Amino acid sequence: MQLHEIKKNVESLDNKFDALVGSLDLPQRHETIERLNAETLADGFWSNQRAAQVVINELNVNRTLVNEYEAIKDALVSINETYEMIRLESDEDLLALYEEEYLSLATIFEAFEIKVLLSDKYDNNNAIIEIHPGAGGTESHDFAAMLYRMYTRYIERKDFKIEVMDYLAGEEAGIKSVVFKVSGPLAYGYFKSEKGVHRLVRISPFDGSGRRHTSFAAVSVTPEISNVELEIPDSDIIMETHRATGAGGQHINKTDSAVRLIHKPTGITAGSQSGRSQHANRDEAMALLKARVLLMMEEAHIAELDKITGVKSAIEWGSQIRSYVLHPYTLVKDTRTNYEEGNAEKVLDGELDNFIYRYLSMGEK
């Protein structure tokens, strides 16, 4: 890059950084860090490990944001000093250093910007993800498995943890349904962009005639909400049990310990098979069911406000959000942001950050 081009890019980053600082609210961040740190030192902090982990996650998120803010501020000072040196003494080595500093700063800033954008109510919570194939039999079941693999690879890249809560294999291949929990800082914030219907176009490996098929799969993303203040009467719940299964359809225990709960008034369902007993799975499923019912109530409130104000909600539930085309060309396109990438294999291997970044940036506009 030429000197003037790098300088222009640095100025753009500097302006965006200044704009983000207001959203960051540093004084409040420092107060939050002090308060949470004091909580971790209190007697009995680890007596409720789930609640303690929520506090630890929030503390880590705030510390990371403050540390990255300081690092970017220092990097901007350093890169501007390098520019002043180039103005005084034109040197190829200094120009190469200037470009190197800019590229490093741009990478760090993009990651920082995403974290600042992840400031909604539940963004710092763990995420419960559910994948269901659409009509189409084995082909759509295989697409659901492709999405599951894509997310597990992304989880590995983010150094998150995954716990399979419910798994139902397809008869011939793929997945009939899967529910899994993703644990880590800002897990829900990152994964909320995946909520909606995904579409695959390819030559089906299950079609002997080599025809092109279009398949769909729905992805549901719910934040894990601890200690939900919501009472659901037993009379409003239907409980179904079945034998837990793993990948390939094999039974993973000899009793009907897996649990599926149905909330009769809304039709909302939640299941779990990760616990060692039916009781443990019912508790896990109930916590998820309460979170989903609570979110539905909040969304109903937003919809009511939409009617009053005439404002359209940002998210269209159940709409197609992304297409993965593998034939006759390769392309992955997000229909909400219009962002696209030609290397579909890379995306299906878990490289989702660009899609997530565009979605989060769109929400700020």
Side-chain angles (χ1 to χ4, degrees):
M1 285 186 283
Q2 299 296 315
L3 177 62
H4 71 277
E5 184 182 358
I6 302 173
K7 176 61 175 172
K8 183 178 179 181
N9 290 338
V10 171
E11 288 175 349
S12 176
L13 274 182
D14 206 345
N15 291 334
K16 290 172 74 176
F17 183 62
D18 287 342
L20 276 179
V21 170
S23 302
L24 188 59
D25 195 355
L26 279 170
Q28 183 60 49
R29 297 278 178 188
H30 285 295
E31 287 181 16
T32 300
I33 289 170
E34 288 184 16
R35 174 178 58 81
L36 295 174
N37 191 55
E39 287 185 31
T40 65
L41 299 174
D43 291 338
F45 173 71
W46 289 104
S47 59
N48 183 337
Q49 291 200 3
R50 178 173 290 185
Q53 193 59 55
V54 171
V55 173
I56 293 296
N57 286 347
E58 187 178 354
L59 179 60
N60 288 340
V61 166
N62 281 280
R63 279 177 172 165
T64 298
L65 281 171
V66 171
N67 290 340
E68 289 185 0
Y69 162 80
E70 295 292 344
I72 292 172
K73 187 173 71 170
D74 291 345
L76 281 167
V77 171
S78 174
I79 199 170
N80 285 325
E81 288 176 349
T82 303
Y83 175 73
E84 291 301 321
M85 291 170 63
I86 294 173
R87 285 183 60 204
L88 296 172
E89 179 185 353
S90 180
D91 183 276
E92 287 297 321
D93 290 338
L94 281 175
L95 181 59
L97 173 63
Y98 189 47
E99 181 174 2
E100 183 181 328
E101 285 184 324
Y102 162 68
L103 293 174
S104 175
L105 177 60
T107 300
I108 296 169
F109 178 81
E110 184 170 305
F112 174 75
E113 184 182 22
I114 290 175
K115 290 172 184 174
V116 175
L117 293 175
L118 293 174
S119 58
D120 286 347
K121 184 175 181 180
Y122 298 116
D123 281 351
N124 194 38
N125 293 35
N126 296 331
I128 310 294
I129 302 171
E130 191 165 352
I131 304 174
H132 285 285
T138 302
E139 177 68 12
S140 60
H141 292 170
D142 193 53
F143 180 37
M146 291 168 65
L147 291 176
Y148 178 53
R149 179 185 179 277
M150 179 179 76
Y151 292 138
T152 57
R153 296 303 299 271
Y154 183 71
I155 289 164
E156 291 170 3
R157 293 174 190 274
K158 288 293 180 186
D159 201 26
F160 291 158
K161 295 180 181 178
I162 183 172
E163 176 189 342
V164 178
M165 300 174 63
D166 199 22
Y167 188 100
L168 186 59
E171 284 90 352
E172 295 182 39
I175 297 171
K176 277 190 175 180
S177 69
V178 63
V179 183
F180 55 99
K181 178 166 71 175
V182 182
S183 303
L186 300 169
Y188 178 72
Y190 282 106
F191 272 98
K192 66 184 180 183
S193 65
E194 297 305 299
K195 190 182 312 181
V197 176
H198 297 242
R199 171 177 172 261
L200 171 70
V201 180
R202 69 171 179 177
I203 299 295
S204 173
F206 306 102
D207 185 339
S209 302
R211 292 174 296 184
R212 189 170 65 178
H213 285 245
T214 300
S215 307
F216 296 90
V219 176
S220 167
V221 185
T222 307
E224 182 184 43
I225 306 174
S226 301
N227 304 318
V228 177
E229 297 295 331
L230 181 67
E231 292 298 324
I232 300 179
D234 289 341
S235 58
D236 284 351
I237 295 175
I238 298 172
M239 185 174 88
E240 299 176 349
T241 61
H242 59 90
R243 193 167 297 181
T245 59
Q250 72 272 22
H251 295 301
I252 56 178
N253 60 37
K254 297 181 180 179
T255 62
D256 292 341
S257 62
V259 171
R260 181 172 180 263
L261 301 180
I262 305 169
H263 186 236
K264 290 192 286 187
T266 63
I268 292 173
T269 64
S272 176
Q273 67 174 31
S274 59
R276 294 185 177 182
S277 67
Q278 189 179 105
H279 179 75
N281 283 325
R282 188 185 189 282
D283 288 347
E284 191 80 37
M286 180 59 76
L288 177 55
L289 186 70
K290 285 184 175 182
R292 287 180 173 168
V293 172
L294 179 65
L295 283 177
M296 186 211 67
M297 294 168 65
E298 291 182 357
E299 288 156 15
H301 176 65
I302 292 171
E304 188 61 31
L305 287 176
D306 288 348
K307 292 179 184 177
I308 294 169
T309 63
V311 177
K312 184 78 172 165
S313 295
I315 298 176
E316 294 292 337
W317 298 98
S319 61
Q320 180 181 311
I321 66 162
R322 192 178 302 144
S323 292
Y324 308 77
V325 180
L326 305 184
H327 185 84
Y329 52 87
T330 62
L331 180 72
V332 180
K333 181 173 183 178
D334 194 300
T335 58
R336 301 160 301 179
T337 64
N338 287 324
Y339 178 74
E340 60 186 44
E341 289 194 10
N343 190 340
E345 183 178 347
K346 182 181 73 172
V347 177
L348 288 167
D349 199 39
E351 295 196 23
L352 295 170
D353 276 329
N354 288 336
F355 288 93
I356 291 172
Y357 172 73
R358 264 49 174 211
Y359 174 81
L360 294 172
S361 300
M362 178 186 71
E364 284 293 293
K365 294 177 181 177

